[in-house]
């Protein structure tokens, strides 16, 4: 069965650089959630999209932006990277208005050096 | 917004014994409570979930109980095995969502170690 695909799996960037993370949800899933998980921390909600519109926003820095495209994939853009941005970034998708839960992608490990 | 607390933060259990992890939530509107197992560097994997219309759910060695009145839910793992060692997260949400605005709120995690 198709899962949530995230790319890249690993990314190394220098401080002040820009990174773009991609998420391809399960077909027919119209909602995407982004989470950031620091070392030893629980996943923290960043932002979500429903039908290509931002639906909710969490603790996402102003340096980050995201969008959902017409094919429902989503991209998280991170600029002026800081050392503290090093984390695992997970994307999860689900079908809105259904009783089914969330499916997580394998994550992107971002290391800022 | 929802706030989920989880205890204990670490738990060591002798192989074969039972492990119990407890969570409380704050938003009475929450009705979906999944538990995730996460191995180092991997994605959270759903191991069991419960909805507010039931008080208990069991799947082989894993069970979850929910007390809606007290707003707490617990994960029970019986006959623990070394491969149960991982970090476990509880979470809360409201399903079905409407317009994508029902995110998962996670607990702070429990590192479970099974001692052979």
């Amino acid at each position: 069965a198709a899962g949530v695909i995230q790319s890249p799996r690993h990314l190394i960037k220098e401080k002040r650089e820009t990174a773009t993370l991609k998420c391809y949800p399960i077909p027919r899933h119209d909602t995407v959630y982004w989470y950031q998980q620091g070392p030893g921390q629980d996943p923290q909600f960043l932002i979500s999209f429903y039908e290509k519109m931002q639906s909710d926003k969490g603790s996402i820095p102003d340096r980050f932006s995201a969008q959902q495209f017409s094919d429902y994939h989503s991209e998280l853009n991170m600029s002026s990277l800081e050392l503290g941005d090093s984390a695992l970034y997970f994307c999860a998708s689900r079908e809105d208005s259904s009783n089914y839960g969330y499916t997580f992608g394998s994550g992107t490990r971002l290391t800022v050096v | 917004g929802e706030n989920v607390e989880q205890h204990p933060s670490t738990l060591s259990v002798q192989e074969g014994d039972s492990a119990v992890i407890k969570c409380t939530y704050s938003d009475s509107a929450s009705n979906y409570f999944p538990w995730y197992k996460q191995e180092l560097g991997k994605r959270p994997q759903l191991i069991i979930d419960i909805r507010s219309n039931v008080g208990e759910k069991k799947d082989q060695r894993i069970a979850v109980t929910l007390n809606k009145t007290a707003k707490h839910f617990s994960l029970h793992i019986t006959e623990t095995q070394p491969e149960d060692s991982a970090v476990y997260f509880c979470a809360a949400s409201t399903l079905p969502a409407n317009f994508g605005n029902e995110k998962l709120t996670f607990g702070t995690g429990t590192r479970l170690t099974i001692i052979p």
Side-chain angles (χ1 to χ4, degrees):
Chain A
V4 178
I5 308 296
Q6 287 188 250
S7 67
R9 292 295 305 274
H10 303 274
L11 191 58
I12 299 175
K13 291 284 186 178
E14 295 188 353
K15 282 195 307 183
R16 293 180 289 277
E17 283 193 318
T18 298
T20 297
L21 279 53
K22 297 184 179 183
C23 170
Y24 296 85
I26 290 173
R28 292 192 308 278
H29 281 196
D30 47 19
T31 309
V32 167
Y33 305 81
W34 284 96
Y35 286 84
Q36 177 193 57
Q37 186 176 27
Q41 304 294 314
D42 55 295
Q44 294 291 319
F45 171 70
L46 292 177
I47 196 167
S48 62
F49 292 89
Y50 165 70
E51 283 293 341
K52 294 153 276 184
M53 299 287 288
Q54 181 184 306
S55 54
D56 196 4
K57 198 170 180 180
S59 49
I60 183 169
D62 292 340
R63 300 177 289 108
F64 293 7
S65 65
Q67 57 182 320
Q68 188 179 32
F69 295 85
S70 57
D71 64 351
Y72 294 98
H73 94 271
S74 179
E75 294 184 5
L76 178 66
N77 297 293
M78 309 156 71
S79 62
S80 303
L81 287 169
E82 302 173 357
L83 295 178
D85 296 330
S86 296
L88 263 175
Y89 290 82
F90 289 105
C91 163
S93 77
R94 61 181 303 278
E95 184 180 354
D96 198 67
S97 302
S98 86
N99 271 317
Y100 292 102
Y102 307 75
T103 302
F104 281 85
S106 297
T108 294
R109 179 174 292 284
L110 172 67
T111 303
V112 181
V113 297
Chain B
E2 176 64 276
N3 181 50
V4 179
E5 296 190 355
Q6 183 172 348
H7 301 281
S9 56
T10 60
L11 180 60
S12 293
V13 172
Q14 206 73 36
E15 182 178 355
D17 287 350
S18 296
V20 180
I21 302 170
K22 299 181 178 182
C23 288
T24 60
Y25 62 99
S26 62
D27 189 351
S28 56
S30 291
N31 63 359
Y32 174 68
F33 307 95
W35 285 88
Y36 290 90
K37 176 182 180 182
Q38 189 178 31
E39 296 173 357
L40 190 63
K42 301 274 183 75
R43 79 182 85 187
Q45 294 272 16
L46 178 70
I47 56 171
I48 195 167
D49 57 16
I50 192 167
R51 298 174 194 272
S52 58
N53 56 345
V54 297
E56 185 173 357
K57 184 177 178 180
K58 192 172 181 181
D59 182 4
Q60 299 183 340
R61 298 186 296 110
I62 295 173
V64 58
T65 58
L66 170 65
N67 183 326
K68 274 203 74 177
T69 304
K71 295 202 192 75
H72 66 69
F73 55 113
S74 301
L75 177 71
H76 305 252
I77 306 175
T78 58
E79 300 170 19
T80 53
Q81 300 166 4
E83 52 265 36
D84 294 331
S85 294
V87 177
Y88 290 80
F89 290 98
C90 62
S93 183
T94 306
L95 292 184
N98 288 303
F99 314 113
N101 60 354
E102 297 301 341
K103 59 188 178 293
L104 275 174
T105 300
F106 286 87
T108 48
T110 297
R111 179 173 297 281
L112 176 63
T113 303
I114 306 302
I115 304 165

